[in-house]
């Protein structure tokens, strides 16, 4: 009887998936329409020009963010330009030759040097060598918090003490109290993988989220803490009940934040991708599918590259998994309609 019931449940689940999967796909773009880390309309021309060896559009883009004190986009654009420069940096070399004291060129140079140092087997030594480049970028525009985000990342890799890190943190928040990148850098320093613990990570993230401005991405810090915990504990298959409650609370906060942005908006795309991952890990399939719908075509490398060498493939598999789980849990017919005549083939 037990085997028969299990077999029956499997048949019903399969029938539900076959019936409900197509309608649940209606709000999702096709697999080949999903793009990984797609640039927005401001960044795209700068990347195209850089590929052709022209640094001017990138220089203009970063200068615009600096003039407007648009520190969040400045940090985001810096990251994408630096990623491109890791493989093709001729345009950056030309830019530095033409304007060796340009604050924006110095910032890209410093970020690129930090990333390359992080990839070196002699990381701490290499990071020590690039410290003056971060200082030069910070001094080029004392208002800019982004070099201080670099300094925080640099401090983590060079084994800075808590006291030294706190000093850098003070300088960063003095320039921008709610800068997302600086908060992420601090969260990483406090993580169990580095110099803190999961509880310290959650404590910092939750306090920062409570103090954040309305609709600020800083409200997503707790879900980043949740992701770090899940990565560490998934091999064990369990977490403590206290931390499980904090994971779910973090997801709830991020769901509210996601709802503040329009569907398909590239700005919160990384947060939505991260949230979808956490919701899947918690078995909250329908809510995860909602986030995939809001994500649209904007898949992001993080968090999927943390768990797979094929970030886009992992994203698509996760999206399909959420859709199939929701379909298998959806009744074959509306329970409210039971008992009504439906004809011979109903």
């Amino acid at each position: 009887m037990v085997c028969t019931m299990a077999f029956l449940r499997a048949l019903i689940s399969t029938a539900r998936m076959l019936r409900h999967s197509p309608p649940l796909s209606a709000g999702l773009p096709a697999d080949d329409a999903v793009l990984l880390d797609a640039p927005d309309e401001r960044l795209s021309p700068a990347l195209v020009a850089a590929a052709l060896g022209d640094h001017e559009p990138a220089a203009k883009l970063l200068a615009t963010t600096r003039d407007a004190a648009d520190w969040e986009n400045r940090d985001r654009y810096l990251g994408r330009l630096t990623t491109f420069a890791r493989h093709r940096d001729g345009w950056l070399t030309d830019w530095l030759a033409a304007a060796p004291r340009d604050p924006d060129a110095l910032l890209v140079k410093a970020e690129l040097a930090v990333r390359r140092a992080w990839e070196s087997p002699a990381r701490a030594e290499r990071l020590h060598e690039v410290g003056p480049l971060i200082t030069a970028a910070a001094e080029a525009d004392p208002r800019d918090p982004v070099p201080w985000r670099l300094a925080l990342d640099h401090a983590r890799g060079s084994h800075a003490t808590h006291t030294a890190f706190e000093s850098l943190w003070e300088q960063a928040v003095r320039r921008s109290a709610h800068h997302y990148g600086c908060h992420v850098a601090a969260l990483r320093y406090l993580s169990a993988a580095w110099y803190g613990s999961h509880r310290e990570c959650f404590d910092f993230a939750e306090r920062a989220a409570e103090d954040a401005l309305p609709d600020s991405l800083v409200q997503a810090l707790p879900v980043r803490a949740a992701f770090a915990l899940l990565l560490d504990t998934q091999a064990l298959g369990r977490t403590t009940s206290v931390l499980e409650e904090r994971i779910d609370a973090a997801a709830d906060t991020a769901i509210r934040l996601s709802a503040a942005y329009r569907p398909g908006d590239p700005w919160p795309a990384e947060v939505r991708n991260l949230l979808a991952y956490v919701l899947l890990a918690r078995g909250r399939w329908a809510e995860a599918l909602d986030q995939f719908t809001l994500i649209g075509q904007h898949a992001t490398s993080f968090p999927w590259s943390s768990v797979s060498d094929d970030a886009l493939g992992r994203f698509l598999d996760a999206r399909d998994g959420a859709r199939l789980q929701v379909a298998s849990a959806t009744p074959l017919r509306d329970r409210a309609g039971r008992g009504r005549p439906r004809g011979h083939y109903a």
Side-chain angles (χ1 to χ4, degrees):
M1 175 62 77
V2 173
C3 291
T4 301
M5 290 302 296
F7 179 60
L8 178 59
R9 283 194 294 270
L11 290 179
I12 292 173
S13 178
T14 301
R16 288 172 171 175
M17 284 191 288
L18 291 173
R19 175 167 179 172
H20 295 297
S21 288
L24 289 171
S25 300
L28 302 174
D31 286 2
D32 58 6
V34 176
L35 304 173
L36 187 68
D37 300 325
D40 65 20
E41 65 278 2
R42 296 174 67 189
L43 177 61
S44 184
L47 291 173
V48 171
L52 299 173
D54 181 7
H55 67 270
E56 287 293 342
K60 182 178 180 180
L61 176 62
L62 289 181
T64 299
T65 62
R66 179 164 47 87
D67 292 343
D70 183 7
W71 308 127
E72 300 290 4
N73 273 317
R74 180 173 178 78
D75 204 2
R76 186 163 63 113
Y77 293 149
L78 170 67
R80 296 299 305 278
L81 289 167
T82 304
T83 297
F84 184 82
R86 286 172 66 189
H87 306 288
R88 301 178 65 176
D89 62 358
W91 61 277
L92 176 59
T93 301
D94 292 344
W95 184 6
L96 288 163
R101 297 184 179 180
D102 186 305
D104 308 311
L106 289 174
L107 186 60
V108 179
K109 179 182 179 180
E111 170 89 337
L112 181 59
V114 169
R115 290 202 192 183
R116 286 175 171 168
W118 267 94
E119 296 167 357
S120 170
R123 177 192 295 163
E125 181 180 347
R126 289 286 306 278
L127 283 171
H128 178 74
E129 294 171 358
V130 304
L133 298 181
I134 301 173
T135 300
E139 292 176 347
D141 188 341
R143 304 171 305 142
D144 188 356
V146 180
W148 295 96
R149 191 269 299 160
L150 270 180
L152 293 170
D153 287 336
H154 176 271
R156 175 166 53 93
S158 57
H159 310 299
T161 64
H162 278 62
T163 300
F165 193 89
E166 287 172 6
S167 178
L168 295 173
W169 171 251
E170 181 183 352
Q171 293 293 329
V173 297
R174 181 180 299 174
R175 287 158 175 80
S176 181
H178 304 284
H179 186 263
Y180 180 61
C182 289
H183 279 78
V184 171
L187 193 71
R188 287 172 174 160
Y189 184 89
L190 291 170
S191 70
W194 288 94
Y195 307 111
S197 67
H198 290 302
R199 290 185 183 276
E200 287 179 285
C201 221
F202 270 105
D203 289 345
F204 171 78
E206 289 166 355
R207 285 196 300 269
E210 290 173 1
D211 295 339
L213 297 173
D215 305 340
S216 167
L217 295 188
V218 172
Q219 293 182 32
L221 283 182
V223 87
R224 290 188 75 105
F227 173 72
L229 172 62
L230 288 168
L231 282 188
D232 281 355
T233 58
Q234 278 174 342
L236 299 176
R238 61 181 177 81
T239 62
T240 67
S241 59
V242 174
L243 289 177
E244 285 179 350
E245 292 174 359
R246 295 178 88 166
I247 291 172
D248 284 330
D252 292 339
T253 298
I255 287 171
R256 291 191 293 272
L257 175 64
S258 175
Y261 292 91
R262 62 178 174 80
D265 188 338
W267 175 245
E270 185 178 270
V271 166
R272 284 171 169 163
N273 277 254
L274 177 61
L275 173 57
Y277 181 98
V278 171
L279 289 169
L280 288 175
R282 297 296 295 148
R284 296 168 63 171
W285 314 113
E287 291 165 301
L289 186 60
D290 288 342
Q291 293 306 312
F292 282 117
T293 302
L294 292 171
I295 289 165
Q297 67 178 19
H298 293 287
T300 58
S301 291
F302 181 76
W304 313 108
S305 61
S306 301
V307 293
S308 173
D309 292 332
D310 178 10
L312 181 57
R314 185 68 182 86
F315 170 89
L316 295 173
D317 288 345
R319 191 179 68 162
D320 285 344
R323 180 172 54 83
L324 293 176
Q325 288 285 353
V326 173
S328 66
T330 304
L332 283 171
R333 60 177 62 182
D334 184 359
R335 293 180 182 275
R338 284 186 174 179
R340 292 201 303 264
R342 294 178 178 269
H344 186 67
Y345 297 103

